Amino acid sequence: MGEILNLRSVKKRLARTAQANEAKENRVRHGRDKTAKANDQRAEARRATLLDALRLDAVRRRDPGE
């Protein structure tokens, strides 16, 4: 005769395993370290600064002669 199993505990164990696997996949998919996030923020700030420097309104405000 086989081992007696409590189906409720088996279902819970399977659910925990599935949840752990999903969490592992999400960490791989979405996880980035602090350095990568900081580099992205620095690049975004630089891009915004360069874009603001090229705006015509900013040029007109700096040059009162026109």
Side-chain angles (χ1 to χ4, degrees):
M1 190 162 185
E3 184 180 337
I4 297 175
L5 296 175
N6 185 346
L7 293 179
R8 204 174 24 215
S9 64
V10 171
K11 286 180 184 179
K12 287 181 181 180
R13 186 174 57 230
L14 290 175
R16 280 192 297 266
T17 305
Q19 191 176 23
N21 288 338
E22 184 178 352
K24 183 178 178 182
E25 290 173 4
N26 285 339
R27 282 191 298 271
V28 169
R29 187 179 305 127
H30 300 291
R32 294 178 17 210
D33 60 355
K34 195 178 208 180
T35 307
K37 290 178 185 178
N39 286 339
D40 286 347
Q41 287 178 346
R42 203 174 311 117
E44 179 64 25
R46 183 174 188 275
R47 187 195 62 77
T49 303
L50 290 174
L51 183 64
D52 286 343
L54 295 175
R55 291 182 193 251
L56 292 177
D57 293 339
V59 172
R60 287 188 188 131
R61 277 186 266 143
R62 279 190 268 158
D63 190 14
E66 287 187 18

